[in-house]
Amino acid sequence: MKISSFSVKRPVFTLVTMFLVIILGAVSFFKIPMTLIPDLNPPVAVVVTNYPGASPTEVSEKITKPLEESLSTAPGLKSMQSSSQEGANLIFLQFDWNSTIDDVQMDILQRIDQVAIPEEANKPRFMKFDPSQFPVIQLSLRTVDEGADIRSIADDLEKELRRIEGVASVNVSGKIIEDVQVILNPEKLKEYGLVQSDVVQMIQASNVSMPGDPIDTNDGRQLTTRIISPLQSISDIRDIQLGTNPLTGDKIKVSDVADVALLEPKAQSETRANDKQAVLMSVLQESGANTATVSKEFKKSLDELLEKDAYKGIESDILFDQGDYVQLAIGNIGQSLILGGLFAMLVLFFFLRGIKSPIIIGVAIPYSVIVTFVLMYFADFSLNIMTLGALALGIGMLVDNAIVVIENIERHLAMGKDPEEAAKDGSKEVGGAITASTLTTLAVFVPVIFISGLIGQIFTEFALTISFSLFASLVVALTVVPMLASRMLKAPNKNREARKRRSKKWQTFEKSVKWALGHRAIVLLLTTVLLAASGYGLFKVGTEFLPATDEGFFSINVKLPNGSSLDSTNKVVKRIEDKIKKEKDVEVYVSLVGGTQQSMAQGGSEGNMAEMYVKLLPLDERDRSVFEFVDEVQPGILDTIGEDAEVSFNMQTAAGSSPNTLTFSLNDTDEERLNKAVTMLDEKLRELDSVTEVDNDLIDTVEEVKIEVNREKASDVGLAPYQIAQTVSDVTRGVFATQVVWKTGEVVGVNVSYDETFRDGVDKLKELELKTPFEAYVKLKDVADVKIAEGPVAIKRVDQAHSVTFTLKYLSSESLGDMTKRVNDLVDDLSLPDEVELSYGGDRELFEGAINDMLMAIILAVVLVYIVMAAQFESFKYPFVIMFSVPLMIIGVSLGLLATNTPISVTAVIGILILVGIVVNNGIVLVDYINQRKAAGLSSYDAIVTSVRDRVRPILMTALTTILGLLPLALGLGEGTEMNQPMGIAVIGGLISSTFLTLYIVPVIYSLFDRETRRRAKEVKVK
């Protein structure tokens, strides 16, 4: 090839270009951001509407259903899920991955505006999904000083930590929020003829700051006016005049009917870390910030702050640190990359038996990686487990082209040529073959462009990165390698070819090739049997979406019956804590009692709910994975809690999938029929082996106090139902009156509420006195029926039909595919009504969506590889011969996955896709050389035997460098390597079987397609 000759003639130019690329690569490497996975922007959005005071049924009928009807026609909408609960609704919209939320946002807003909603409801809000809304660090703060209030200390720390570069916000659970509480005494109110609303109105009327029109002064200036009467202290509020006592003429003040104090609301939640009072801190990073850098700076600043005297005795426990995990994962994959490169070099030293040739080839690895960094920087990629995984996967392949070139140059040197001539001729002879083999490998990644969805976003960077590295290795093999070979290599003292022919092992190998050509039927039959057996084996390994990553972190959700008190929930959580703290693998556990982190962040609380976060020791300090830990600990905890509460264990992987979890829904337009089907299926699911948890969201009910107004009785005393409802709501909830600004500049809210002793219990509520327009008082029980009844907690729908979602947790020894099959068999046995539809969600839905795209990609890859080879060989026959090496990889893939008990996942399929491009390389080199030998005058039979004998060494070298280069990745050593492990196993297995069998199958198939050997090969017998 001319480029090789140019490089040999112009060594200085080649070296200078190398150094320039190395400098660019170094600069690019330090500028590439570091993240865990490629940036994902799922096309999902949420529409939220608040309807204060409305029941779930009202919210569903008046807001949710009209919105669903309007939004259902939005372009690109894939599915729509809604939840209607007391006072609010939430509609979750999922669009095709081809859509972007920015494109459909205006359409959604227009459809929202077209819906008429009740005046009492707030306008529906549209919210886009933003990955930066998820915390990158979660930690707990606790104090060893029993007298200190960790919450006030955390408030001070939060202000300091928010200033760190890259940190968007720091959220603290259990913060101290103090408001002015005006606690009314209803007996005093009645004595003075007042009601709650009178007090609220006078507080509002007394706290004034209002602008007026500008006025002209006598000296010709125009000044603005402002009327002010601010409330600036507790005493100001106490002294507000509510009226005058008609009997005594004394002024009636707020202090006469209420106690006024700056109080913290009654505790509705509690946070503990390792049994100590604590707060949970969540750190959100700015969009586009480098996760690893933010994590490092945050922990450094936190450590510096905790060393100060003001924060002595405060201990922090990192629960989850994405930046730390990013560095660990990328460090481990980087280690696999380096080890793979070293293993590949060992292969070269073993085969080439010298120093110079391995060093020349070894240059290809770091140089190709450096060129890849340059291309990654300009492609705006990040360093993540996928892009580094691509480099680790390709590390062995980077030397393939260089091996073929250097081996051929050495062969030409052995023929007596001078180094420069040997470098030119040797690289020219194999230049076409290595270009074709590289193009075929690159061709398999073209179909990745057509893969949509989550997998498309995750693997696009992977495909392009490995393509960049292979392109770089081709350029190196055709330029740098010939140039260095022409300067460093010398002709061998003895004829290597003659020595090799006399070698016993090469003679044995040559005899085996001749035997295969003489017994073609036996060879093909044995191969067919192996293929059939391996195909069967693939169906036995099971399936999963993505490999689970051990991040050493999981959460436990606790749910007591609706209406349970905070104390009851606390007792259950403490029983779980007692079990957890006995486990030696646990580093820290944090308990949030009285709600979930999500509900607390929104300012709400749920007394019957709790969440626990458990962090295990680093992976190298424990003997079991997080999945094994959960499998062993979960049964004991479930037995301990029994029927007292629902306890579920949750794990999340780096890519967002949920390990050991199967999610599916039953949908039906008839609610009653659906409920029957759900009950039947739920009973059967609980009987399945290996299932640890079964949960569904069948409409839950909660006890509530229902106050049904008797319109006739209310009318008799001059009250409208709305007035009664408003009064009861204000009494039970309290009323936010105003905000006041203290002299210190602090802004504090003022709430007006009844003393709890006058509204605690149903009987007290019945005795509540309402003021009528006739200045008289009437008890609530006289105008309304007050009773305890059941009402729905939430009403859920999917695509405008009633829906119930099942969440099935199973042991880590089971696969997603096996559990799906068992659920399908169970549903078939139950013979559910045809109207009840089953649809999978979560990992199963993603797997089903991805696997079809992946199979299409593999088929396209096979076609593209054939097309590239046909163009290269200018023949349809020879590429067809080479394509017989593709199915041979299935044998090794099947054995590899079975031997390691690895299910087929999307990453394993990506490995198979890559194999399509790799396994044909040996065939290309072989067939190309056979054709060259025939063109040189050899008979077809001799050309086949000679080519296989001459090319077996470079074929074995390229295969071994790729296999050993992948070995660290396949072993999956350390955190973060699990994602790429099935890929490594699949490629190693497929490459071993394909390389070994290609040396026999391709010659056999070639002989069948060649006129000269079609008959003669049958007659040849080994002497």
Side-chain angles (χ1 to χ4, degrees), residues 219-244:
D219 56 1
R221 291 183 298 159
Q222 190 178 61
L223 302 176
T224 57
T225 57
R226 178 166 292 277
I227 306 94
I228 59 171
S229 173
L231 298 171
Q232 294 184 307
S233 66
I234 296 282
S235 57
D236 286 349
I237 297 170
R238 286 177 180 150
D239 293 338
I240 292 172
Q241 188 174 331
L242 300 174
T244 306

mmCIF file of all heavy atoms in Angstrom, residues 219-244:
data_model
loop_
_atom_site.group_PDB
_atom_site.id
_atom_site.type_symbol
_atom_site.label_atom_id
_atom_site.label_comp_id
_atom_site.label_asym_id
_atom_site.label_seq_id
_atom_site.Cartn_x
_atom_site.Cartn_y
_atom_site.Cartn_z
ATOM 1 N N ASP A 219 -40.154 70.999 47.077
ATOM 2 C CA ASP A 219 -38.836 71.340 46.482
ATOM 3 C C ASP A 219 -38.648 70.726 45.100
ATOM 4 O O ASP A 219 -37.538 70.619 44.598
ATOM 5 C CB ASP A 219 -37.709 70.900 47.416
ATOM 6 C CG ASP A 219 -37.791 69.410 47.747
ATOM 7 O OD1 ASP A 219 -38.704 68.737 47.239
ATOM 8 O OD2 ASP A 219 -36.934 68.927 48.520
ATOM 9 N N GLY A 220 -39.745 70.288 44.479
ATOM 10 C CA GLY A 220 -39.702 69.846 43.074
ATOM 11 C C GLY A 220 -39.279 68.400 42.869
ATOM 12 O O GLY A 220 -38.973 67.996 41.751
ATOM 13 N N ARG A 221 -39.294 67.582 43.914
ATOM 14 C CA ARG A 221 -38.945 66.173 43.749
ATOM 15 C C ARG A 221 -40.192 65.304 43.717
ATOM 16 O O ARG A 221 -41.235 65.704 44.226
ATOM 17 C CB ARG A 221 -38.052 65.719 44.907
ATOM 18 C CG ARG A 221 -36.661 66.334 44.883
ATOM 19 C CD ARG A 221 -35.799 65.793 46.014
ATOM 20 N NE ARG A 221 -36.345 66.105 47.316
ATOM 21 C CZ ARG A 221 -36.053 65.447 48.432
ATOM 22 N NH1 ARG A 221 -35.238 64.394 48.380
ATOM 23 N NH2 ARG A 221 -36.579 65.781 49.597
ATOM 24 N N GLN A 222 -40.059 64.177 43.100
ATOM 25 C CA GLN A 222 -41.168 63.204 43.070
ATOM 26 C C GLN A 222 -40.731 61.969 43.854
ATOM 27 O O GLN A 222 -39.747 61.318 43.518
ATOM 28 C CB GLN A 222 -41.517 62.812 41.632
ATOM 29 C CG GLN A 222 -42.806 61.996 41.536
ATOM 30 C CD GLN A 222 -43.175 61.645 40.103
ATOM 31 O OE1 GLN A 222 -42.411 60.966 39.443
ATOM 32 N NE2 GLN A 222 -44.326 62.122 39.646
ATOM 33 N N LEU A 223 -41.462 61.622 44.920
ATOM 34 C CA LEU A 223 -41.092 60.509 45.797
ATOM 35 C C LEU A 223 -42.178 59.446 45.807
ATOM 36 O O LEU A 223 -43.366 59.754 45.721
ATOM 37 C CB LEU A 223 -40.873 61.022 47.230
ATOM 38 C CG LEU A 223 -39.810 62.099 47.414
ATOM 39 C CD1 LEU A 223 -39.780 62.557 48.856
ATOM 40 C CD2 LEU A 223 -38.429 61.604 46.997
ATOM 41 N N THR A 224 -41.746 58.218 45.914
ATOM 42 C CA THR A 224 -42.714 57.103 46.026
ATOM 43 C C THR A 224 -43.261 57.068 47.449
ATOM 44 O O THR A 224 -42.629 57.564 48.390
ATOM 45 C CB THR A 224 -42.050 55.753 45.718
ATOM 46 O OG1 THR A 224 -40.948 55.569 46.608
ATOM 47 C CG2 THR A 224 -41.537 55.697 44.288
ATOM 48 N N THR A 225 -44.429 56.487 47.587
ATOM 49 C CA THR A 225 -45.023 56.358 48.922
ATOM 50 C C THR A 225 -45.195 54.892 49.276
ATOM 51 O O THR A 225 -45.384 54.050 48.398
ATOM 52 C CB THR A 225 -46.413 57.026 48.968
ATOM 53 O OG1 THR A 225 -47.228 56.424 47.970
ATOM 54 C CG2 THR A 225 -46.320 58.512 48.738
ATOM 55 N N ARG A 226 -45.095 54.582 50.559
ATOM 56 C CA ARG A 226 -45.305 53.215 51.038
ATOM 57 C C ARG A 226 -45.972 53.277 52.392
ATOM 58 O O ARG A 226 -45.519 53.982 53.287
ATOM 59 C CB ARG A 226 -43.982 52.466 51.127
ATOM 60 C CG ARG A 226 -44.126 51.043 51.658
ATOM 61 C CD ARG A 226 -42.895 50.215 51.415
ATOM 62 N NE ARG A 226 -42.692 49.950 50.010
ATOM 63 C CZ ARG A 226 -43.282 48.989 49.315
ATOM 64 N NH1 ARG A 226 -44.140 48.183 49.926
ATOM 65 N NH2 ARG A 226 -43.049 48.828 48.050
ATOM 66 N N ILE A 227 -47.079 52.543 52.535
ATOM 67 C CA ILE A 227 -47.805 52.474 53.800
ATOM 68 C C ILE A 227 -47.388 51.194 54.496
ATOM 69 O O ILE A 227 -47.544 50.103 53.941
ATOM 70 C CB ILE A 227 -49.334 52.474 53.570
ATOM 71 C CG1 ILE A 227 -49.738 53.676 52.705
ATOM 72 C CG2 ILE A 227 -50.075 52.481 54.890
ATOM 73 C CD1 ILE A 227 -49.832 53.385 51.254
ATOM 74 N N ILE A 228 -46.843 51.313 55.711
ATOM 75 C CA ILE A 228 -46.362 50.122 56.410
ATOM 76 C C ILE A 228 -46.923 50.037 57.821
ATOM 77 O O ILE A 228 -47.162 51.045 58.480
ATOM 78 C CB ILE A 228 -44.821 50.076 56.464
ATOM 79 C CG1 ILE A 228 -44.248 51.313 57.175
ATOM 80 C CG2 ILE A 228 -44.221 49.914 55.084
ATOM 81 C CD1 ILE A 228 -42.759 51.213 57.445
ATOM 82 N N SER A 229 -47.179 48.797 58.247
ATOM 83 C CA SER A 229 -47.533 48.490 59.634
ATOM 84 C C SER A 229 -47.070 47.058 59.877
ATOM 85 O O SER A 229 -47.874 46.124 59.928
ATOM 86 C CB SER A 229 -49.049 48.623 59.841
ATOM 87 O OG SER A 229 -49.398 48.180 61.135
ATOM 88 N N PRO A 230 -45.747 46.870 59.982
ATOM 89 C CA PRO A 230 -45.227 45.501 60.053
ATOM 90 C C PRO A 230 -45.335 44.895 61.445
ATOM 91 O O PRO A 230 -45.278 45.601 62.450
ATOM 92 C CB PRO A 230 -43.762 45.671 59.657
ATOM 93 C CG PRO A 230 -43.407 47.053 60.127
ATOM 94 C CD PRO A 230 -44.661 47.879 59.982
ATOM 95 N N LEU A 231 -45.502 43.584 61.446
ATOM 96 C CA LEU A 231 -45.413 42.831 62.700
ATOM 97 C C LEU A 231 -43.985 42.298 62.779
ATOM 98 O O LEU A 231 -43.531 41.581 61.881
ATOM 99 C CB LEU A 231 -46.404 41.673 62.693
ATOM 100 C CG LEU A 231 -47.887 42.040 62.603
ATOM 101 C CD1 LEU A 231 -48.730 40.787 62.379
ATOM 102 C CD2 LEU A 231 -48.355 42.774 63.849
ATOM 103 N N GLN A 232 -43.275 42.677 63.859
ATOM 104 C CA GLN A 232 -41.851 42.340 63.911
ATOM 105 C C GLN A 232 -41.454 41.540 65.140
ATOM 106 O O GLN A 232 -40.282 41.276 65.348
ATOM 107 C CB GLN A 232 -41.018 43.639 63.866
ATOM 108 C CG GLN A 232 -41.163 44.362 62.521
ATOM 109 C CD GLN A 232 -40.263 45.580 62.432
ATOM 110 O OE1 GLN A 232 -40.300 46.427 63.312
ATOM 111 N NE2 GLN A 232 -39.461 45.654 61.380
ATOM 112 N N SER A 233 -42.444 41.151 65.955
ATOM 113 C CA SER A 233 -42.111 40.359 67.142
ATOM 114 C C SER A 233 -43.347 39.603 67.621
ATOM 115 O O SER A 233 -44.471 39.883 67.187
ATOM 116 C CB SER A 233 -41.588 41.258 68.261
ATOM 117 O OG SER A 233 -42.627 42.121 68.708
ATOM 118 N N ILE A 234 -43.128 38.660 68.501
ATOM 119 C CA ILE A 234 -44.224 37.895 69.095
ATOM 120 C C ILE A 234 -45.185 38.834 69.827
ATOM 121 O O ILE A 234 -46.416 38.690 69.734
ATOM 122 C CB ILE A 234 -43.676 36.837 70.086
ATOM 123 C CG1 ILE A 234 -42.819 35.797 69.350
ATOM 124 C CG2 ILE A 234 -44.816 36.152 70.852
ATOM 125 C CD1 ILE A 234 -43.557 34.754 68.592
ATOM 126 N N SER A 235 -44.623 39.811 70.550
ATOM 127 C CA SER A 235 -45.474 40.736 71.320
ATOM 128 C C SER A 235 -46.356 41.569 70.401
ATOM 129 O O SER A 235 -47.495 41.907 70.757
ATOM 130 C CB SER A 235 -44.617 41.649 72.206
ATOM 131 O OG SER A 235 -43.678 42.375 71.419
ATOM 132 N N ASP A 236 -45.864 41.901 69.204
ATOM 133 C CA ASP A 236 -46.691 42.643 68.239
ATOM 134 C C ASP A 236 -47.936 41.838 67.874
ATOM 135 O O ASP A 236 -49.038 42.385 67.748
ATOM 136 C CB ASP A 236 -45.892 42.948 66.969
ATOM 137 C CG ASP A 236 -44.855 44.048 67.172
ATOM 138 O OD1 ASP A 236 -44.915 44.709 68.228
ATOM 139 O OD2 ASP A 236 -44.003 44.238 66.283
ATOM 140 N N ILE A 237 -47.765 40.546 67.703
ATOM 141 C CA ILE A 237 -48.895 39.682 67.324
ATOM 142 C C ILE A 237 -49.855 39.534 68.507
ATOM 143 O O ILE A 237 -51.076 39.596 68.342
ATOM 144 C CB ILE A 237 -48.388 38.304 66.849
ATOM 145 C CG1 ILE A 237 -47.526 38.471 65.592
ATOM 146 C CG2 ILE A 237 -49.553 37.360 66.557
ATOM 147 C CD1 ILE A 237 -46.789 37.234 65.159
ATOM 148 N N ARG A 238 -49.289 39.370 69.709
ATOM 149 C CA ARG A 238 -50.146 39.221 70.888
ATOM 150 C C ARG A 238 -51.010 40.468 71.128
ATOM 151 O O ARG A 238 -52.139 40.370 71.614
ATOM 152 C CB ARG A 238 -49.273 38.977 72.132
ATOM 153 C CG ARG A 238 -48.681 37.582 72.191
ATOM 154 C CD ARG A 238 -47.775 37.440 73.396
ATOM 155 N NE ARG A 238 -47.189 36.101 73.477
ATOM 156 C CZ ARG A 238 -45.997 35.852 74.012
ATOM 157 N NH1 ARG A 238 -45.270 36.834 74.514
ATOM 158 N NH2 ARG A 238 -45.541 34.619 74.051
ATOM 159 N N ASP A 239 -50.476 41.647 70.779
ATOM 160 C CA ASP A 239 -51.171 42.903 71.075
ATOM 161 C C ASP A 239 -52.152 43.333 69.991
ATOM 162 O O ASP A 239 -52.763 44.417 70.100
ATOM 163 C CB ASP A 239 -50.136 44.025 71.286
ATOM 164 C CG ASP A 239 -49.314 43.802 72.548
ATOM 165 O OD1 ASP A 239 -49.801 43.064 73.427
ATOM 166 O OD2 ASP A 239 -48.187 44.345 72.635
ATOM 167 N N ILE A 240 -52.305 42.520 68.929
ATOM 168 C CA ILE A 240 -53.267 42.889 67.873
ATOM 169 C C ILE A 240 -54.670 42.929 68.469
ATOM 170 O O ILE A 240 -55.100 41.990 69.149
ATOM 171 C CB ILE A 240 -53.201 41.886 66.698
ATOM 172 C CG1 ILE A 240 -51.858 42.014 65.962
ATOM 173 C CG2 ILE A 240 -54.356 42.116 65.716
ATOM 174 C CD1 ILE A 240 -51.622 40.948 64.921
ATOM 175 N N GLN A 241 -55.396 44.028 68.177
ATOM 176 C CA GLN A 241 -56.754 44.196 68.728
ATOM 177 C C GLN A 241 -57.772 43.527 67.816
ATOM 178 O O GLN A 241 -57.806 43.759 66.613
ATOM 179 C CB GLN A 241 -57.069 45.700 68.863
ATOM 180 C CG GLN A 241 -58.357 45.968 69.597
ATOM 181 C CD GLN A 241 -58.578 47.467 69.840
ATOM 182 O OE1 GLN A 241 -57.621 48.219 69.966
ATOM 183 N NE2 GLN A 241 -59.821 47.877 69.896
ATOM 184 N N LEU A 242 -58.593 42.653 68.445
ATOM 185 C CA LEU A 242 -59.608 41.930 67.685
ATOM 186 C C LEU A 242 -60.977 42.605 67.784
ATOM 187 O O LEU A 242 -61.862 42.331 66.967
ATOM 188 C CB LEU A 242 -59.726 40.490 68.214
ATOM 189 C CG LEU A 242 -58.445 39.630 68.136
ATOM 190 C CD1 LEU A 242 -58.670 38.300 68.833
ATOM 191 C CD2 LEU A 242 -58.036 39.401 66.689
ATOM 192 N N GLY A 243 -61.169 43.474 68.771
ATOM 193 C CA GLY A 243 -62.463 44.147 68.955
ATOM 194 C C GLY A 243 -62.545 44.707 70.365
ATOM 195 O O GLY A 243 -61.543 44.798 71.090
ATOM 196 N N THR A 244 -63.787 45.062 70.767
ATOM 197 C CA THR A 244 -64.006 45.635 72.109
ATOM 198 C C THR A 244 -65.108 44.850 72.807
ATOM 199 O O THR A 244 -66.127 44.516 72.204
ATOM 200 C CB THR A 244 -64.414 47.119 71.994
ATOM 201 O OG1 THR A 244 -63.431 47.794 71.216
ATOM 202 C CG2 THR A 244 -64.507 47.756 73.375
#
